[in-house]
């Protein structure tokens, strides 16, 4: 501000001196002209000399006017010219870096879409002027376009998270080495997709909306918010009714790569990401989602879909939760011991203990099948098991081998694909031919593992869903 004021004062002083000089020149010219007129006016050729002098003065005045317009009224100095030479180079580099980040994607020469890939990159830099600019210079040198940038201030340094469009030949290892050489530490890079182009506020609002509509969406929303991580829901009360001691403070706990949050049932939700520490911003966002879920209480989409079986009977497929606990226990009582043993792989008397856990939306999603009279005859579970996903089916004996199990399994796999799961697995016995046939009917790549009579069938999910979402799931979206 002082430099600008000094410049204005100098210009005013310059204008005042120039005006005095012009007035002095004018008076001098008048005096000279009067002396010349008196001297030569009485000569024989005096009038002609006076006319010639007038013409010369007119030409001189015109030249002076032209010269003054071209040189005396130059534009004021720009802001850049007023910057003191003592300014640090790092501040100027930071300004250039800001211009690089805020420049629209299409402003420069763009690479063909087929020659570029999207990367998510996170790195830690020192909180000093010029640190971000150094990273931007490296990215520009490799023709990498910065699409979005988020900063997470820490006690020591700053975590910068980029969404990049990079040339396809550029490898992640090479980019990581370049960033490290420019001052970035703990650099982490993974492939991104078009969904990451959504800005952070919009994406977080979308996750909050999904969580508000369906309690089972909370683990999925946390996983999409935090990237690749392992999420466990630990109940405060075990299946046997004993306290587990698993809980967390109301404000939660953040320990670098581990996050613990209070579950609405007073249990704990633990989130682990071994290779990448959580930032305070991520912790605050995750805690806000969990608090939203706790305030809204139990909820599940109530839409239904009526299907007709080959023999003509109508069944209703819908979402289930803990409000269906009594109906589920009644179905257990109607099932044979063999059916319950194939489903739960343990003592039949313990089957009822699992229902409260299985019907809880925190641990996954459950589909129920009802007859026209309203009786519950089948349950299908999609269970979040850390970073894996399990599918399980139970169909009442009288309703088996009518296609109900295959219908439920297909819908559960569709839900898993929509949730972004890479695979699902089913644990059964080798003698359970019905479950094996249902898994094979999915027409997906299957892996089989058998040990002491226990069969684990893993289906690798394709990128494209095998069917569209049913209406009771579309309503929740």
């Amino acid at each position: 501000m002082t430099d600008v004021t000094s410049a204005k004062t100098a210009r005013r002083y310059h204008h005042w001196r120039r005006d005095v000089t012009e007035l002095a020149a004018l008076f001098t010219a008048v005096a000279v002209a009067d002396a010349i007129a008196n001297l030569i006016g009485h000569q024989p050729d005096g009038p002609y000399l006076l006319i010639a002098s007038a013409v010369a003065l007119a030409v001189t005045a015109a030249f002076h006017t032209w010269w003054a317009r071209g040189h005396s009224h130059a534009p004021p100095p720009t802001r850049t010219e007023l910057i003191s030479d003592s300014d640090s180079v790092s501040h100027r580099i930071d300004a250039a870096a800001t211009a690089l980040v805020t420049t629209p994607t299409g402003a420069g020469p763009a690479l063909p879409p087929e020659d570029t890939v999207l990367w998510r990159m996170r790195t830690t830099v020192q909180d000093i002027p010029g640190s971000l600019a150094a990273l931007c210079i490296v990215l520009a040198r490799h023709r990498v376009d910065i699409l979005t940038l988020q900063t997470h201030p820490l006690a020591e340094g700053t975590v910068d998270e980029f969404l990049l469009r990079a040339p396809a030949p550029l490898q992640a290892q090479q980019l990581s080495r370049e960033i490290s050489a420019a001052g970035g530490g703990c650099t982490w890079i993974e492939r991104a997709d078009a969904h990451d182009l959504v800005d952070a506020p919009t994406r977080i609002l979308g996750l909050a909306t999904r969580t508000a509509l369906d309690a089972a969406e909370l683990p999925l929303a946390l996983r999409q918010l935090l990237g690749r991580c392992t999420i466990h829901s630990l109940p405060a009360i075990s299946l046997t009714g004993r306290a587990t001691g698993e809980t967390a403070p109301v404000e939660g706990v953040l320990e670098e790569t581990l996050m613990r949050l209070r579950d609405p049932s007073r249990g704990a939700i633990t989130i682990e990401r071994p290779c990448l520490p959580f930032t305070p911003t991520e912790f605050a966002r995750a805690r806000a989602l969990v608090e939203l879920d706790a305030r809204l209480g139990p909820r599940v989409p109530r839409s239904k879909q009526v299907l007709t079986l080959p023999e003509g009977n109508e069944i209703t497929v819908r979402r289930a939760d803990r409000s269906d606990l009594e109906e589920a226990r009644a179905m257990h009582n109607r099932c044979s011991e063999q059916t319950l043993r194939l489903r739960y792989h343990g003592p039949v008397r313990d089957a009822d203990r699992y229902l409260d856990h299985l019907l809880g939306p925190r641990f996954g999603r459950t589909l129920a099948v009802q007859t026209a009279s309203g009786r519950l005859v089948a349950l299908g579970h999609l269970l979040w098991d850390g970073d894996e996903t399990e599918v399980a089916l139970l169909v009442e004996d009288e309703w088996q081998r009518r296609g109900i199990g295959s219908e439920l399994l297909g819908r559960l796999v569709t839900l898993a694909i929509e949730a972004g799961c890479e695979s699902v697995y089913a644990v059964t016995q080798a003698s359970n031919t019905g479950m094996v046939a249902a898994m094979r009917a999915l027409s997906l790549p299957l892996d089989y593992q058998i040990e002491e009579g226990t069969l684990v069938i893993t289906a690798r999910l394709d990128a494209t869903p095998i069917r569209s979402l049913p209406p009771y799931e579309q309503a929740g979206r």
Side-chain angles (χ1 to χ4, degrees), residues 29-321:
V30 171
V32 171
D34 181 69
I36 293 174
N38 292 330
L39 180 62
I40 65 174
H42 302 287
Q43 301 294 327
D45 297 329
Y48 300 104
L49 291 175
L50 290 176
I51 293 174
S53 299
V55 172
L57 288 174
V59 172
T60 302
F63 175 78
H64 172 74
T65 301
W66 171 82
W67 181 88
R69 290 180 179 178
H71 298 80
S72 298
H73 300 280
T78 62
R79 183 180 179 183
T80 304
E81 294 171 349
L82 296 176
I83 295 179
S84 174
D85 292 339
S86 61
D87 288 347
S88 63
V89 177
S90 59
H91 284 80
R92 299 184 183 182
I93 295 179
D94 272 342
T98 304
L100 284 175
V101 174
T102 57
T103 299
T105 304
L111 294 174
E114 63 273 10
D115 294 334
T116 60
V117 294
L118 294 177
W119 294 98
R120 289 179 59 196
M121 183 184 75
R122 178 177 292 193
T123 188
T124 303
V125 298
Q126 295 182 351
D127 191 10
I128 59 175
S131 57
L132 176 59
L135 301 183
C136 295
I137 291 173
V138 169
L139 295 175
R141 184 163 59 242
H142 291 279
R143 296 180 60 82
V144 177
D145 189 15
I146 302 174
L147 302 180
T148 63
L149 169 63
Q150 296 185 61
T151 60
H152 306 270
L154 302 178
E156 296 180 359
T158 301
V159 176
D160 292 330
E161 186 171 358
F162 298 86
L163 179 62
L164 306 173
R165 178 182 286 119
L170 182 62
Q171 300 297 318
Q173 295 82 355
Q174 178 185 358
L175 183 58
S176 180
R177 288 194 300 267
E178 295 281 352
I179 292 297
S180 297
C186 301
T187 302
W188 167 82
I189 301 177
E190 74 169 0
R191 290 291 294 272
D193 57 26
H195 296 89
D196 294 305
L197 293 172
V198 180
D199 61 282
T202 302
R203 183 161 57 92
I204 294 171
L205 286 174
L207 296 177
T209 302
R210 290 176 52 183
T211 303
L213 293 174
D214 188 352
E217 288 284 339
L218 178 61
L220 302 177
L222 291 172
R223 185 174 297 176
Q224 292 190 16
L225 175 67
L226 304 173
R228 293 182 178 272
C229 58
T230 301
I231 301 176
H232 292 283
S233 290
L234 307 175
I237 306 297
S238 67
L239 296 177
T240 60
R242 297 180 179 179
T244 62
E246 298 290 350
T247 186
V250 176
E251 65 275 8
V253 176
L254 174 60
E255 299 175 351
E256 293 190 353
T257 60
L258 176 66
M259 193 185 299
R260 291 175 64 87
L261 301 168
R262 171 74 68 89
D263 187 86
S265 62
R266 297 196 177 276
I269 299 176
T270 64
I271 309 171
E272 295 182 80
R273 192 171 61 186
C275 300
L276 189 63
F278 294 111
T279 65
T281 301
E282 290 176 318
F283 176 69
R285 292 171 178 173
R287 186 173 60 182
L289 280 179
V290 174
E291 290 177 354
L292 172 65
D293 176 78
R295 288 180 177 274
L296 294 177
R299 61 209 178 278
V300 66
R302 292 298 179 183
S303 300
K304 304 177 181 179
Q305 186 176 22
V306 178
L307 303 176
T308 303
L309 297 178
E311 69 269 18
N313 292 326
E314 289 187 349
I315 60 173
T316 300
V317 183
R318 62 173 177 82
R319 287 283 298 278
D321 59 6

